[in-house]
Amino acid sequence: MAYADSPENAIAVIKQRTALMNRCLSQHKLMESLQHTSIMLTELRNPNLSPKKYYELYVIIFDSLTNLSTYLIENHPQNHHLADLYELVQYTGNVVPRLYLMITVGTSYLTFNEAPKKEILKDMIEMCRGVQNPIRGLFLRYYLSQRTKELLPEDDPSFNSQFIMNNFIEMNKLWVRLQHQGPLRERETRTRERKELQILVGSQLVRLSQIIDDNFQMYKQDILPTILEQVIQCRDLVSQEYLLDVICQVFADEFHLKTLDTLLQTTLHLNPDVSINKIVLTLVDRLNDYVTRQLEDDPNATSTNAYLDMDVFGTFWDYLTVLNHERPDLSLQQFIPLVESVIVLSLKWYPNNFDNLNKLFELVLQKTKDYGQKNISLESEHLFLVLLSFQNSKLQLTSSTTAPPNSPVTSKKHFIFQLISQCQAYKNILALQSISLQKKVVNEIIDILMDREVEEMADNDSESKLHPPGHSAYLVIEDKLQVQRLLSICEPLIISRSGPPANVASSDTNIDEVFFNRHDEEESWILDPIQEKLAHLIHWIMNTTSRKQTMKNKIQFSLEAQLEILLLIKSSFIKGGINVKYTFPAIITNFWKLMRKCRMIQEYLLKKRPDNKTLLSHYSNLLKQMFKFVSRCINDIFNSCNNSCTDLILKLNLQCAILADQLQLNEISYDFFSQAFTIFEESLSDSKTQLQALIYIAQSLQKTRSLYKEAYYDSLIVRCTLHGSKLLKKQDQCRAVYLCSHLWWATEISNIGEEEGITDNFYRDGKRVLECLQRSLRVADSIMDNEQSCELMVEILNRCLYYFIHGDESETHISIKYINGLIELIKTNLKSLKLEDNSASMITNSISDLHITGENNVKTSSNADDGSVITDKESNVAIGSDGTYIQLNTLNGSSTLIHGVVATASGSKLLHQLKYIPIHHFQRTCEYIESQREVDDRFKVIYV
Amino acid sequence: MSIFFKPPIDIEILFDNEESRKHVDIATRSSNSSYKSMKESLPVYEDGESLGGIVTLRVRDSKKVDHLGIKVSVIGSIDMLKSHGSGNSSSKKVTSSTSSSSSNGSVDVRKNSVDQFLCQSYDLCPAGELQHSQSFPFLFRDLSKRYESYKGKNVDVAYYVKVTVMRKSTDISKIKRFWVYLYNSVTTAPNTLSANETKATTNDIAGGNYAADNASDNTQTKSTQGEAGDVNQVLPISRSNNEPKPVRLDIGIENCLHIEFEYAKSQYSLKEVIVGRIYFLLTRLRIKHMELSLITRESSGLQTSNVMTDSTAIRYEIMDGSSVKGETIPIRLFLSGYDLTPNMSCNYFNVKNYLSLVIIDEDGRRYFKQSEITLYRTR
Amino acid sequence: MLLLALSDAHIPDRATDLPVKFKKLLSVPDKISQVALLGNSTKSYDFLKFVNQISNNITIVRGEFDNGHLPSTKKDKASDNSRPMEEIPMNSIIRQGALKIGCCSGYTVVPKNDPLSLLALARQLDVDILLWGGTHNVEAYTLEGKFFVNPGSCTGAFNTDWPIVFDVEDSDEAVTSEVDKPTKENQSEDDDAKGGSTGTEQPGSYTPKEGTAGERENENESNVKPENQFKEDEVDMSDSDINGSNSPSFCLLDIQGNTCTLYIYLYVNGEVKVDKVVYEKE
């Protein structure tokens, strides 16, 4: 009999025949009705249907046959006998329609108790062999399975399971066979079609699982071995992957637990292309579900429950060992995910057992070595990245800290920290990787460890008591060894070179997306995110170890222990070579912090146990030692970086000197200052840097208090001033010297209780102050550049006013006479400045009227060239504290520096403005003097 | 013709209890193809059964009819197609062939009787005059019937009762056909063929003999086998052992297909079920499907001019798609639902049955393998 | 117009990052039109990136731990190879509305943090508002009609200035304050106090110990020397004391015409406090 030429027509035929069939049934014309049914079923013979279309037809036909079946059942045995019909339908000439009819009639008959159930079932399943076409056969057997679902004999589970298994086996065979049909080029189509059909086969296993229920004996002895044998025998990739997955999914997880060996063994005999790891992962998932369920049933069961008696990990471990042995062909791509699955398992079952993990990592290590570490491809690099930085989503590690106590769900950072500190193999695997990968991994790990946001959130939470006491969101570092391990893991980053950037760029686009100028000049600085991260790590370790621990984790590091850890860090980071310039400042900062702590302890002891000399001297020694360490650190930077960061070194020395001074360690302070001077003298070459460094030295010295003894202070400030007077540029000399004048004029430091007018032992020497100012003025006067000279004089005038305000003439030696003289000098010079520029501009007026009268002296300087209007008071150029010109950019409101010779057209205009700088500065100073007259009578005698 | 010369007497033959007897439907083979589908229902008798009935003569229009006597006879004959006229040229002319009066007793006009193996008659009534309608009972006691009725392509075995009113002018006669079944009383069938058949046909399929097997209908093949006339025994009752031995055939095409099939036995009653299986030892052939056919072969004529005609009585799909090595396909064919002819044999013709396994591959080529089975009728 | 003043981040040398709450406050794009970095804020890539997201109009002045030149991105470099490295100036001036704002890091002001010196600088630069840094302590005052603002350290980084805490705390006061505070710290101190009576460290003969707390406890018990009973955690050392008593802070200047409204953001005990000061130019 023919079938329709298109699926659409087929559906039409089926619907039409269904209608006819139903009409005949209503008229009790069974034979005619069967005839229609048979024609309808002919559509299922169509070999040109895709599995999807076939399924559509099948569904419609299934419903029609259900109608027929209902009729058959209702009219038995009054109008017919089903046993007769069972024979009758077998006259159908075509095998497919015949079998559908047989099954329909047969299953209808099965609803009656009188029917010889087992015989019918056996007969039907036997006859189904007549359909050997995979698609048609699969659907036919699926039909058998659907129809018999509720009708299997209730009292014989063994028969039933055999029946279903038989069907399953045949279906699987058909399914596998489908792969090999048709031309070779359609293989992929076949595979796709097979995947569409897989559910038909899988449904049989689902049926089995329903039949078995909790009959483990049957499962273990009959069912599982049969199924697995089938799976192994079919040697088909798709089938093996799918079926094992289904087996893992549909049967009870307890069963899996008890048949773990068998299941795992099976995977050893599969098609080599089967991705075992998927199967193992599914299995692991199921086993983990089991644990979850057990815990839900009884949250305290972790340690007592029976399931823990089983050495689940051991089983997996043995399996992995055997697998590794028997399948040396397994690639890393296959092997690593497998190990990862077992890691997932181990974490769930034995959350605190890091030995397991160590074993696993060792295995990977071995495998990697066998595989040849040189052959690690890019793909497997990714695998290692996932493995080593624990990015596998199946790992039940949360970044959240809200996990309940005792929960096997471990916080990722806790976990990784434990892992690093306990698993040697982990480190070894890491060491096998390419440098770029190592860096990536370590980078990930550090990010996880220092997930600061979480910590800060936890901080806030702990206030609202969301956390049970004792469950800290913080990591707890328990001992030095842990720090050591952590640092050794970080080594790839520590020793990594930031440049040349292109090198890093190719592998680390994530980190190094932006690059920075790299100049080997003295003050060059390349931003290096990796080193920055390491600096953060240093802070993190030190914060973690110094943090007050909670009750539960009663581990408190003593100051000395912290110091040891810091030294450990230092000795690790020194390997970074030139990188120390990024990391050592952080280490030094932590030394400084420890110093302050030490000092606090000392203060406390002095207060509480002033007589305990042993303790006091212990801490005082400690303190001195720390300064030595810091000095060492600074030297290390110096030695590692050649001359590239002398400015940094100088300043670190100064900071140390300041701290030492504050701690009344005058000798140490003096040494650091001396060190700073040495560097200044020997290594600082850039004049700009020299000036600002010298000013900084002066500022630092000015705040010291402990150096007065032994005349340390005296020698230092003289040295400082001397250096100032020897600077390269005269204007720098001038500024340095007038600023050094402050070194002889100590001012109050309110933090230590000093107060102007009350404290009487300030270090002050007015004569020296005046000397400095005079010297500075001489230099200013000698400068050829009139504008510069004038400006410096105005600055010195301001300095004079400072001292004038600060003290009596008798102390400061800055007299009215001196100030008035200076003002006169400035005025004269400004006049000459005016004359010098007479021809070019028409500002003569403004200069001649330079005395401050308080009247509105906004004057226009009409520039003949471009007619632009510049108001006297609104100059766009200013001079900075180091003598650089600053132009106020009107565009975005901020300023830019003017460098060297101004050559551009707009520059000539600027050049023109420069002379206004001292003029306006002088004006402002004069205004200030006038305003001060109201509060200080002495100002009235200053003539402006 | 009959319109103008209506016979003055209507003859009606009724068998005893005819209505309640078992009947068979026999397709009438008319020369006019449009009537092909007409069927004729005939009462069934068996060997040794008495045949009796009543003959009623009705006088038309109450006219008196003179006759020379009324005779009833029962006749069994083997008829053969004229064109294949047998060597027996002296066959008697069947008188009934000219009789045009019968409405339902027609005999295939194309066939001539070659052997009248049964002819009994006696007079119902001496010569006289029929004035009104009159009935005469008749009875042939314990009538022996040698052959089973058969209606084949070239050969028929026909039985009928004939009543003749003899007159001076043309006789008026009427025939009534009936059907004869010969039952085999032995429950187990003989197994004469399987042994040598197996040997002879093992490699029949081999050699890629995919000659079109549309021999199923109307194809006549000359056979070199001379079988006709050897066996005078219609009933294929075996004289050998009673045990049904399974038929096993091992067939194949070298390096392409190798199957083994097996039937439970080689002799079947018409009510039986053929059960068997096919085992695949090797399949490289892409099989589309596989059928089982039952072919009835009629061969007629004497040795030199044997005519064989095959007709496919059953076509039954037993496998859909292509099987693979190691698979077994079940065979189950109910015979009772079909109108089959049991094996028979006589001097003039014989009927044999064959089971044919037909494999159709995906390119439409057919491979087949026949094996003879014996069918017999049981009660 | 909003101007953000940040100073002394000291990332990564002394601090790791701004408080998260600060970052959230500042992560509002297109609100703040200019950022002034007042020193010691140029060594962190992440920090600069963050600042750049706030506004790309950034004014930087040099702090003592900044380098002479700005780090620049590779793209800039590629597009203009000849451009000299941008120098970080000591001082910078911003004009907003009727106001001129000077920026300077405090380290070239001698004496450090001295108002009169700062005033002289403001005069020299001819500015109405002077932003300065370097002290890590937030400050704002008006002097001689000029407005002086120090935004403090945005990270609360360690500071080498003279700390305030060096007066030794009164023991009685310490006791009462401990009783008043029902915090976690308190609990741990109680616990530690107990531990302190039974077994304590002996700093004089201290050797580095590894292993769990329990082991150490046992070890200590065998070495009790009553006269040396001392545990470091008796000393109340807060992070802020160690770092120099500074809390993270920054300033936001809202400038309208000749008025500047200053908002001071201070991060204390995990909370952000905001103060407001208004300055109007005469």
Side-chain angles (χ1 to χ4, degrees), chain A residues 608, chain C residues 169-177:
Chain A
K608 298 257 174 166
Chain C
E169 62 182 29
D170 186 27
S171 58
D172 294 341
E173 197 184 280
V175 168
T176 49
S177 70

Side-chain angles (χ1 to χ4, degrees), chain A residues 5 26 73 287 327 392 531 620 750 830 842 863 905:
Chain A
D5 49 4
S26 67
I73 292 167
L287 296 177
R327 290 281 307 275
N392 190 322
Q531 297 303 324
S620 130
S750 56
L830 288 178
M842 298 159 73
N863 191 317

Side-chain angles (χ1 to χ4, degrees), chain B residues 1-12 56-67 100-103 129-134 165 167 172-174:
Chain B
M1 186 167 72
S2 57
I3 299 168
F4 302 106
F5 300 100
K6 278 193 174 162
I9 298 169
D10 280 343
I11 304 169
E12 189 189 39
T56 306
L57 303 174
R58 288 190 187 84
V59 183
R60 213 177 276 268
D61 305 334
S62 303
K63 280 184 191 168
K64 285 182 196 170
V65 178
D66 290 331
H67 62 86
S100 54
S101 60
S102 67
S103 57
E129 183 181 76
L130 275 174
Q131 286 185 321
H132 48 84
S133 298
Q134 209 176 341
V165 179
R167 295 204 303 167
I172 298 167
S173 67
K174 164 88 178 183

Side-chain angles (χ1 to χ4, degrees), chain A residues 90 93 95 98 123 130 132 136, chain B residues 316-317 319-320 332 334 337:
Chain A
Q90 293 188 45
V95 64
R98 182 197 312 148
D123 187 58
Q132 291 287 328
R136 299 193 280 280
Chain B
Y316 195 71
E317 191 184 33
M319 186 179 86
D320 176 40
R332 179 161 66 210
F334 288 91

Side-chain angles (χ1 to χ4, degrees), chain B residues 21 37 66 98 131-132 238 284 290:
Chain B
R21 284 200 84 86
S37 61
D66 290 331
T98 56
Q131 286 185 321
H132 48 84
S238 162
R284 295 220 177 112
M290 183 156 66

